């Protein structure tokens, strides 16, 4: 089976840096994805890591360590609009995504 | 592209009624996924299709749930009969081979009373 663990809530201030961790246990693993979801909205794709290391896309970066079954999403220069839920998701055999429970990020002024 | 289109956006129905949710994936995408989201269970994969063929329906909760994809541009998720515990937001998503990101539709918020 698959299970993913991520913190339920994180709070940070505008302009700060925040890291959202994700650990996973899966029977098959092709990569780790991150999605953002605003209240009442749909999940939107942020990043995908298939190999170990850091991937940077603007203010957001994502890291993966396959040997540790661990990844994180790093958000820099936080803005109020970054307040949302962030989900890690394992890409399993067949291409399906298994999602974690999500981390609710609150950015304070 | 208009993105993944789902209808209806909201559905309120009485227990025991049949509910049909619809999804039009992005043109050219060959994989389609149905997810259900609730506070308690998060985002659950119900079923997914590759090239219109159902690949894995192990997430479909009960025989009351069924899904079809008669062609590359249309899929339905049907609940018959519906129950209050089916109340959730149902998302459809699509992707293409080699593309690691899913595109989600806006979802259907289903309330069964």
């Amino acid at each position: 089976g698959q299970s993913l663990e991520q913190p339920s809530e994180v709070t940070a201030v505008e302009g700060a840096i925040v890291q959202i961790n994700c650990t996973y246990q899966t029977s098959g693993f092709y990569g780790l994805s991150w999605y953002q979801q605003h209240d009442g909205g749909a999940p939107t794709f942020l990043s995908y890591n298939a190999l170990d290391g850091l991937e940077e896309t603007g203010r957001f970066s994502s890291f993966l360590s396959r040997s540790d079954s661990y990844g994180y999403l790093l958000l820099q220069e936080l803005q109020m609009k970054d307040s949302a839920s962030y989900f890690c998701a394992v890409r399993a055999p067949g291409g399906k995504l298994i999602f974690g429970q999500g981390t609710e990020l609150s950015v304070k002024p | 592209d208009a993105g993944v289109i789902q209808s209806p956006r909201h559905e309120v129905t009485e227990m025991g009624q049949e509910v049909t949710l619809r999804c039009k994936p992005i043109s050219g995408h060959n994989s389609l996924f149905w997810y259900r989201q609730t506070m308690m269970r998060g985002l659950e994969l119900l079923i997914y299709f590759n090239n219109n063929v159902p690949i894995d329906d192990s997430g479909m909760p009960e025989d009351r749930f069924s899904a079809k994809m008669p062609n590359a541009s249309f899929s339905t998720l049907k609940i018959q009969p519906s129950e209050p515990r089916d109340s959730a937001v149902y998302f459809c998503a699509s992707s293409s081979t080699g593309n690691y990101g899913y595109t989600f539709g806006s979802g259907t918020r289903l309330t069964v009373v």
Side-chain angles (χ1 to χ4, degrees):
Chain A
Q2 290 96 354
S3 69
L4 294 93
E5 295 286 334
Q6 53 180 128
S8 57
E9 296 179 339
V10 173
T11 301
V13 297
E14 250 184 319
I17 299 173
V18 71
Q19 179 174 311
I20 300 173
N21 298 320
C22 174
T23 57
Y24 59 88
Q25 286 186 316
T26 61
S27 54
F29 178 86
Y30 289 165
L32 189 70
S33 296
W34 288 92
Y35 285 75
Q36 178 192 61
Q37 185 179 29
H38 286 99
D39 262 353
T44 57
F45 174 72
L46 292 177
S47 67
Y48 177 74
N49 295 66
L51 303 175
D52 287 358
L54 190 69
E55 296 278 344
E56 298 181 58
T57 309
R59 295 187 297 114
F60 293 3
S61 303
S62 57
F63 172 82
L64 175 65
S65 168
R66 295 175 66 122
S67 60
D68 295 321
S69 298
Y70 164 76
Y72 65 72
L73 180 69
L74 190 73
L75 298 86
Q76 303 182 72
E77 301 172 19
L78 280 174
Q79 302 176 8
M80 297 297 290
K81 67 178 181 179
D82 297 329
S83 292
S85 291
Y86 293 83
F87 295 85
C88 59
V90 164
R91 187 179 180 91
K96 65 182 181 181
L97 279 182
I98 308 299
F99 284 83
Q101 287 292 96
T103 298
E104 186 173 349
L105 171 64
S106 297
V107 180
K108 307 294 186 186
Chain B
D1 200 319
V4 176
I5 300 173
Q6 290 187 246
S7 64
R9 287 297 308 274
H10 302 273
E11 176 81 29
V12 180
T13 190
E14 291 186 346
M15 182 173 63
Q17 295 298 304
E18 177 180 295
V19 175
T20 299
L21 311 181
R22 296 172 176 80
C23 176
K24 176 179 168 56
I26 290 175
S27 177
H29 281 191
N30 60 334
S31 296
L32 183 140
F33 308 83
W34 282 101
Y35 282 85
R36 176 171 70 175
Q37 186 173 35
T38 60
M39 288 295 292
M40 290 298 296
R41 300 176 69 88
L43 271 163
E44 301 174 274
L45 177 64
L46 300 177
I47 186 171
Y48 75 100
F49 297 82
N50 278 348
N51 297 315
N52 314 338
V53 176
I55 302 300
D56 185 344
D57 66 354
S58 60
M60 296 286 260
E62 299 168 34
D63 290 345
R64 299 184 295 108
F65 285 69
S66 62
K68 293 182 179 179
M69 191 164 187
N71 56 61
S73 59
F74 184 66
S75 177
T76 59
L77 178 68
K78 186 176 293 187
I79 308 172
Q80 165 62 22
S82 58
E83 296 182 4
R85 60 193 166 122
D86 302 330
S87 297
V89 179
Y90 290 80
F91 286 104
C92 174
S94 70
S95 72
S96 57
T97 302
N99 180 352
Y100 301 115
Y102 286 12
T103 302
F104 280 77
S106 299
T108 295
R109 182 173 294 277
L110 174 65
T111 303
V112 183
V113 298

